[in-house]
Each structure stands twice: as structure tokens, then as C-alpha cells.
Amino acid sequence: MQLWKGRFKKELSKTTNDFNSSISFDSRMFREDIEGSIAHATMLGKCGIITEDEAEHIRQGLRGILADLESGALAIDMEAEDIHTFIEGELTQRIGNDGKRLHTSRSRNDQVALDIKLYLKKEVVNVRKQLRELVSVIAKKAEEYSDTVMPGYTHLQRAQPITFGHHLLAYAEMLLRDISRLDDCLRRMDEMPLGSCALAGTTYPIDRNITRELLGFDRVTNNSLDGVSDRDYCIEFASCLSIIMVHLSRFSEEIIMWCSWEFKFIELDDAFSTGSSIMPQKKNPDIAELVRGKSGRVFGDTMTLLTVMKGIALAYNKDMQEDKEAIFDAVDTVKMCLTAFTPMLDTMRVIPRNMRKAAAGGFINATDVADWLTKNGVPFRDAYKATGELVARCIELGCDLESLPIEEYKKVCDVFTEDVYKAISLEYCVSQRTAFGGPAPGNVRAQAERVKKIVKFE
Ligand code: ARG
């Protein structure tokens, strides 16, 4: 039954009702809707807009509905228009006339804006918590593999030696930025829209500060039109979630590569891998692939929200009902991805031997040869050129820089001495990269410690 029946003579057709209804996706906000209504009734009572007895009657009715929804004693009517009308209708059925007073000085427009904010505020905190868990797993692993030498890449070509701990901590940095972005998003979202009513505020002597305080918001919205037509908080949250997915997707891509026989830097635990229905030898990194794939959904959700909002005149338009499926899907997807990703990472087996082997090919210590010459007085550009010639010579001879005879070095530049060999051992190369932000084992341990402190669970 629609609450706005008065003006209409005919029943809504079934197809129109189905098309118009949002109950299938907004019913998940039933707690927030009831919480908002309890606060609203309390404020109406305190301001003398309804009596304190009426307010108490409404509160009791709403608490009963909440308890029955939680226990399953009351089922949500999927024919209802939305969660707001369902709960108000149920209240009136239960407590009679006083139930009809609840919507005084309120519109579904400010009610729905409130409900989404209440719901999303909790979800920001949930995602934030999951990110902290992931970052602490990364920091733990980084510490464990602080001196594990691996090749660092640019253009997916072996570039310079780094440590696996250092590589992992790069992701910790990305995810820490994600956490701080969520904090910003939450701060901006923390404005209570209730009291904006349909669009033009109200003539009743309401006190928005009472509801604000009861519902735990930092501030009230300053403009009633903006209060009901703003969905920036959905777009911003979806954008934060999209960036999180970019990071998880890049990480997944590396995990997928590292699992391949071409790399074999890691092996995922059986519990987080799948097999093939035809190829008995296969062990596939499905979780990482799904996370990489699901990033598309979240980007799509963000695009949906941007597109829904971009062309609608102030204030509320029904287009805005499309906000919920998009933002809920984005939140659900990211939470699901993190739930699968973190234990997958935590249980992976690292194979340092293969990382070391990969680091030994590809002349990744060439920069260190040039640096050795530079430290012995040769200008860097000349040193660079000489080292290039040495690499070419190695390729001709089929050896690497470590095994190239000293005579060959001297032929290219007579500054070379036997000392160069020590300077280009991979362990030494890595241990010397101590400039702040670099991959030396000591740096990695210090950074892991720092990261751990930031995400520490009290
Ligand atoms: N179900 C609606 C939504 O999700 C609630 C607001 C309805 N307001 C209105 N004026 N029809 O946006």
C-alpha cells in the first residue's frame, strides 16, 4: 500500500509498482531507518511538536519492529514501495494513530539521505578495518623477507636488485593512502541531512541539533536543497573503493605472475587455489584473478553514480534511487575481495631461492658497476657507457658481470680493479641501498615497524 494514496483514484499497476519499488535493495537499511525514526520521534517530542507520550509510543513501536525484523518474526513485504514506507506502514498497523505522527516535518527525501549516510558511515569503518588487517599481514611478511633478494622490474624487464620485503611494502604504502582517503571521506560524510525535509526545510520548530547528536553526526547540513540532493558521499566512497581495487588488482596481477612456472617466486596455499577440470597439473590463482576481474565492477559502480547524478536538476529526483545498488555493490565487492585476499597472502609460501636465481640473470647490477666507477673518479656518463660495453661483451661471451674476467673490465676502462666484484654481488648491492625509502634490509625492517605501528590493533 502506498502512503501517498490521497490524490490518486486508481491502484498502481503491478508493473509500475515493481519498476518503482526499491525494497529489494534498500531493505538492508532497515536498522538505520528505524534508528533515524527513533531519533526523529524523540526530537519531535522534545520540541513539543508531538507529545512526549506519543514520542514514547512511537519509539516502543519502532523498537518492537526492529526486534521482530532481527529475530525473523517479521518479514519485509517485498511488495512495499521501499523500506521507509514499509516500516512506517508497519508502525501504524501496530500502534495506530500515533504512528501517523512520525512523518511530521520529514520527507522520504531527507529520510533516505540520512539512512544511506548512517549505513555507509559504518561500511567505511568496516572497509578501513579490513585494510588495516591486510596492511599488518603485509608488514609481517615484509619483516620476514627483509633480506630476500629479488629482481626489481621496470617495463617488466629486470632492472635493479631489491628485497621482497621492500616490494611488499610498496603495497602497504598504497593501502595506507587508501585508509587515509577513507578517513577524509568519512569526515566529509559526517553531516546530518534530516530536517531538510522534502527540499525546503520546515515550518515546524524542529531542533536539528537534537537528532544530530542522537545519531552521532559531527554537523548538520547547511542547505536543505543540498541536504536532500547531495550524493557526493556515495561518489566519493565509490571512488575510494575504486582506488582500493586498482591496488588490489595490481597486487593480484603480480601474485598471478609470481605463481607461474616462469617466475615461481611464490606458491599459494591449496586452500586458496583451484584446479582444472581437465589438466591435472594445474593449480590456478583464481582468487587473485577474481579480485583483478572484480575491479571492473567497482569502477563501473563509480561510473554509474557519476552518470546518475550529472544531469539532474535540484533537488530530489527519482533517478537518485539508482544510487543504492551501485554503492552497495561496490562496498560488498571490496569487502568480499579483502576477505579472500588477506588470508591468501598470509598463507602464501615464498620461494627466496627462485627470486635470487631470477635476480642473478639480466645484468641487474649494471648500475652498480657504473656507480663503482663513478665512486672511483670516472664521470657517471662515461661510467655508464663503459658499463654498457661490458654488458655487450658479457652477451658475446655468454656470461654475467660477476663472472666476466678482470682483463675484460680493464680493456674497457683501466680504472677497474678486483674490488669491483665485491661491489656488484647482489647482496652487497642491496645492502648499500640505504638512502631513505630504499630496499636495504635495515630500511625494510624499520619501515615494517613503522607500518605496523600505524595499523596496530588496540
Ligand atoms: N525509495 C526512494 C529512494 O531510494 C526514497 C525517496 C523517495 N522520495 C520520493 N520523493 N519519491 O530514493
Side-chain angles (χ1 to χ4, degrees):
M1 216 262 293
Q2 280 72 40
L3 289 178
W4 35 260
K5 282 209 98 159
R7 187 189 193 286
F8 293 78
K9 300 206 167 59
K10 276 202 210 162
E11 281 295 326
L12 202 60
S13 78
K14 165 94 174 99
T15 46
T16 308
N17 188 51
D18 289 349
F19 185 63
N20 194 46
S21 167
S22 54
I23 192 100
S24 63
F25 48 85
D26 64 19
S27 56
R28 65 160 83 190
M29 303 191 300
F30 73 86
R31 289 186 192 85
E32 291 72 23
D33 195 74
I34 291 173
E35 187 191 354
S37 289
I38 289 177
H40 182 65
T42 304
M43 183 279 289
L44 291 177
K46 283 207 164 118
C47 295
I49 300 167
I50 60 175
T51 68
E52 287 285 8
D53 284 351
E54 287 161 349
E56 182 52 25
H57 200 194
I58 291 173
R59 277 193 298 264
Q60 279 173 10
L62 288 168
R63 287 192 193 112
I65 294 173
L66 180 62
D68 290 350
L69 284 172
E70 299 272 18
S71 73
L74 173 65
I76 292 175
D77 173 11
M78 285 299 152
E79 294 299 304
E81 186 178 341
D82 54 30
I83 191 63
H84 326 293
T85 50
F86 169 72
I87 288 172
E88 194 190 323
E90 178 68 24
L91 179 70
T92 301
Q93 249 181 41
R94 289 188 180 203
I95 71 166
N97 271 341
D98 286 347
K100 297 184 193 161
R101 297 187 191 281
L102 171 62
H103 213 52
T104 313
S105 177
R106 186 177 70 168
S107 158
R108 270 186 299 160
N109 298 349
D110 57 349
Q111 189 178 357
V112 71
L114 173 74
D115 291 4
I116 308 173
K117 277 191 173 174
L118 284 172
Y119 185 88
L120 291 185
K121 275 175 68 177
K122 291 181 215 160
E123 291 291 38
V124 173
V125 174
N126 291 338
V127 174
R128 194 184 184 287
K129 179 167 175 281
Q130 284 192 291
L131 284 177
R132 282 168 66 200
E133 281 161 4
L134 174 55
V135 172
S136 36
V137 166
I138 294 175
K140 184 182 76 181
K141 294 260 163 212
E143 207 160 46
E144 200 178 333
Y145 298 101
S146 59
D147 50 14
T148 302
V149 173
M150 74 177 281
Y153 297 83
T154 62
H155 313 270
L156 203 53
Q157 305 278 326
R158 291 169 192 169
Q160 291 180 334
I162 57 169
T163 42
F164 187 52
H166 190 59
H167 195 120
L168 289 175
L169 283 176
Y171 285 103
E173 290 300 317
M174 296 175 223
L175 298 166
L176 286 175
R177 283 197 294 277
D178 291 333
I179 290 175
S180 91
R181 245 185 300 275
L182 288 177
D183 291 344
D184 282 348
C185 172
L186 188 58
R187 221 171 295 129
R188 256 185 298 279
M189 195 188 285
D190 209 2
E191 258 181 14
M192 198 216 47
L194 208 59
S196 305
C197 304
L199 76 161
T202 183
T203 55
Y204 292 98
I206 59 171
D207 184 344
R208 298 182 64 202
N209 220 22
I210 295 177
T211 22
R212 178 197 65 76
E213 219 177 324
L214 287 171
L215 295 169
F217 280 90
D218 182 52
R219 323 172 286 285
V220 296
T221 51
N222 296 300
N223 180 298
S224 62
L225 289 173
D226 182 53
V228 290
S229 64
D230 167 36
R231 292 293 183 273
D232 288 4
Y233 48 96
C234 296
I235 299 174
E236 189 174 359
F237 191 17
S239 307
C240 295
L241 295 170
S242 292
I243 301 176
I244 292 171
M245 287 308 290
V246 170
H247 297 150
L248 293 182
S249 182
R250 291 183 76 178
F251 206 167
S252 294
E253 167 64 12
E254 298 213 280
I255 286 172
I256 293 160
M257 284 193 315
W258 293 340
C259 283
S260 71
W261 283 107
E262 281 70 15
F263 282 81
K264 257 299 164 257
F265 287 179
I266 61 167
E267 184 164 346
L268 295 179
D269 193 80
D270 281 1
F272 298 95
S273 314
T274 53
S276 153
S277 60
I278 174 171
M279 297 167 283
Q281 84 282 14
K282 290 298 283 291
K283 182 168 174 186
N284 298 327
D286 283 25
I287 290 182
E289 289 170 28
L290 270 174
V291 169
R292 190 177 57 181
K294 281 180 190 290
S295 60
R297 292 176 72 116
V298 180
F299 304 163
D301 292 329
T302 307
M303 206 58 215
T304 298
L305 288 163
L306 287 167
T307 313
V308 163
M309 293 308 294
K310 81 172 182 61
I312 50 183
L314 299 183
Y316 178 85
N317 295 261
K318 191 74 171 209
D319 315 39
M320 290 161 73
Q321 180 165 288
E322 289 291 310
D323 59 356
K324 281 170 280 301
E325 280 169 294
I327 188 64
F328 293 161
D329 181 70
V331 179
D332 293 348
T333 305
V334 169
K335 281 172 39 185
M336 224 160 53
C337 287
L338 285 165
T339 303
F341 192 91
T342 302
M344 175 193 71
L345 192 77
D346 200 14
T347 53
M348 75 178 171
R349 186 168 74 85
V350 178
I351 313 175
R353 187 172 20 94
N354 290 348
M355 294 184 178
R356 179 67 179 74
K357 230 193 286 165
F363 308 105
I364 69 172
N365 44 5
T367 316
D368 299 271
V369 173
D371 288 345
W372 187 90
L373 278 181
T374 306
K375 283 173 197 155
N376 285 280
V378 180
F380 179 76
R381 232 354 113 208
D382 294 338
Y384 173 95
K385 186 165 169 288
T387 309
E389 286 168 29
L390 289 172
V391 169
R393 188 71 186 125
C394 285
I395 293 170
E396 261 169 47
L397 297 174
C399 65
D400 52 24
L401 288 162
E402 289 93 322
S403 54
L404 185 71
I406 192 67
E407 297 74 46
E408 296 288 343
Y409 276 93
K410 284 188 190 293
K411 261 193 246 165
V412 170
C413 175
D414 59 10
V415 176
F416 278 119
T417 68
E418 294 271 351
D419 285 354
V420 72
Y421 292 114
K422 182 185 166 231
I424 64 172
S425 94
L426 295 185
E427 282 65 24
Y428 186 80
C429 293
V430 159
S431 74
Q432 295 306 293
R433 288 178 146 72
T434 53
F436 188 80
N443 290 35
V444 173
R445 284 189 284 273
Q447 287 295 337
E449 209 40 58
R450 177 189 136 259
V451 169
K452 268 192 191 162
K453 257 188 222 138
I454 297 175
V455 294
K456 194 163 162 235
F457 284 87
E458 289 79 33

